[in-house]
């Protein structure tokens, strides 16, 4: 009997403007910034999602998080259930406040694996890149990323992208699969009301499976309510 298809969740993390969304576009061909405000301001606000089919046949869902400190609640909402993080650092700026803050959050949430991705490597001299790599290594010492591989990439020229794909595949081989046969458990990240649908909840499955039409139970009971007039998710408000 063939083994069941494995599916993974990959998340981004890192300081604002460090190249997370461009990296996901280079990896998947998908644009994860959907809102007009995101396009106008050139920053991510909401979580972005993209499917990612790896050359080995594995499939992954990518959660692209915003790096701006004002949207940290959205980052937190998206990052909980991931199998692998791409901690993105712009090689021209090095480690910045949300690099550290996101790293702390990932550590607290006991995320198991990651890759350190140095972005925008088309711009500086190689010696400078070596220095920044050292800085990041110092930053992740003593964390789950202490032994993580480092990839140097440019989303603009494509340099390093195939090597990053190979590194992601290697890392995913070590991920313990989630239990699709166990009870359905989906920690709720966000809930909001969509006109014509009612209450919508979002989250990442940690075990079990669910299909359209299934009846599910919310625990503890009565904690999720449709909030009339509550408007769009908080991330859509102007900071
Ligand atoms: N030269 C160069 N520029 C890049 C590269 N990757 C991203 N950029 C530019 O850097 C800027 C920020 O890129 P984004 O991908 O939006 O950054 P982000 O980390 O998603 O930003 P937030 O989601 O707002 O935190 C954009 O102007 C990109 O065009 C790269 O590899 N090389
Ligand atoms: Mg972005």
């Amino acid at each position: 009997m063939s083994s069941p298809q494995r599916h993974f969740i990959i998340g981004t993390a890192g300081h604002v403007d460090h190249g997370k969304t461009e990296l996901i576009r280079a990896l998947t061909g998908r644009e994860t910034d959907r809102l007009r405000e995101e396009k106008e301001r050139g920053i991510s606000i909401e979580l972005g999602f993209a499917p990612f089919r790896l050359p080995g046949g594995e499939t992954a869902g990518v959660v692209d998080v915003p790096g701006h400190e004002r949207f940290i609640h959205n980052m937190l909402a998206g990052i909980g259930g991931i199998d692998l993080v791409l901690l993105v650092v712009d090689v021209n700026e090095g480690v910045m406040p949300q690099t550290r803050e996101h790293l702390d959050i990932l550590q607290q949430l006991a995320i198991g694996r990651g890759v350190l991705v140095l972005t925008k490597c088309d711009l500086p001299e190689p010696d400078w890149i070596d220095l920044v790599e050292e800085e990041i290594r110092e930053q992740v010492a003593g964390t789950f990323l202490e032994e993580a591989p480092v990839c140097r990439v440019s989303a603009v020229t494509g340099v390093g992208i195939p090597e990053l794909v190979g590194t992601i595949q290697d890392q995913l081989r070590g991920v313990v699969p989630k239990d699709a046969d166990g009870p359905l458990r989906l920690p709720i990240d966000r809930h909001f009301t969509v006109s014509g649908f009612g209450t919508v909840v979002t989250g990442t499955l940690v075990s079990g499976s669910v299909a359209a039409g299934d009846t599910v139970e919310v625990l503890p009971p009565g904690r999720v309510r449709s909030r009339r007039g509550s408007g769009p998710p908080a991330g859509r408000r102007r900071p």
Side-chain angles (χ1 to χ4, degrees):
M1 209 171 73
S2 65
S3 59
Q5 173 81 43
R6 298 186 67 194
H7 188 84
F8 305 95
I9 306 288
I10 298 172
T12 60
H15 195 74
V16 63
D17 259 358
H18 274 202
K20 298 177 289 299
T21 299
E22 282 295 327
L23 177 68
I24 297 313
R25 196 212 305 258
L27 286 170
T28 68
R30 297 293 183 104
E31 168 63 56
T32 55
D33 282 348
R34 312 173 312 275
L35 305 181
R36 199 175 63 196
E37 192 181 349
E38 292 180 312
K39 293 183 198 302
E40 282 170 5
R41 298 175 67 189
I43 61 168
S44 302
I45 298 172
E46 290 272 15
L47 296 171
F49 304 97
F52 185 18
R53 182 168 279 278
L54 289 136
E58 308 90 335
T59 57
V62 178
V63 182
D64 179 33
V65 309
H68 195 295
E69 59 180 325
R70 299 253 187 136
F71 306 123
I72 196 75
H73 53 286
N74 288 342
M75 182 273 178
L76 257 172
I79 213 72
I82 64 170
D83 298 305
L84 178 81
V85 69
L86 306 178
L87 181 63
V88 166
V89 179
D90 175 346
V91 77
N92 304 281
E93 288 203 325
V95 171
M96 294 292 279
Q98 271 59 56
T99 319
R100 295 191 201 94
E101 188 177 25
H102 286 195
L103 178 62
D104 281 352
I105 288 171
L106 294 161
Q107 181 77 13
Q108 298 276 337
L109 292 176
I111 303 303
R113 282 173 178 271
V115 180
L116 305 170
V117 187
L118 292 179
T119 53
K120 311 193 193 182
C121 286
D122 51 293
L123 297 173
E125 296 297 321
D127 289 357
W128 175 257
I129 304 180
D130 291 342
L131 284 176
V132 175
E133 183 169 329
E134 247 174 67
E135 186 197 13
I136 295 168
R137 277 268 164 247
E138 278 169 27
Q139 190 65 47
V140 301
T143 74
F144 75 104
L145 291 176
E146 179 152 20
E147 305 288 333
V150 180
C151 290
R152 300 177 176 198
V153 306
S154 166
V156 169
T157 64
V159 161
I161 297 293
E163 290 79 5
L164 174 58
V165 171
T167 304
I168 291 172
Q169 289 205 134
D170 286 348
Q171 290 295 312
L172 290 178
R173 276 188 207 109
V175 170
V176 179
K178 293 189 173 72
D179 179 11
D181 298 326
L184 168 66
R185 285 201 300 132
L186 180 133
I188 294 173
D189 299 331
R190 297 184 305 159
H191 63 97
F192 49 91
T193 309
V194 175
S195 175
F197 287 92
T199 302
V200 176
V201 298
T202 69
T204 303
L205 270 181
V206 293
S207 74
S209 58
V210 66
D214 285 357
T215 302
V216 300
E217 193 177 351
V218 180
L219 295 171
R223 291 291 293 276
V224 176
R225 287 195 186 162
S226 165
R227 285 181 298 164
R228 237 169 206 289
S230 61
R236 296 213 180 139
R237 285 185 222 124
R238 190 172 284 275

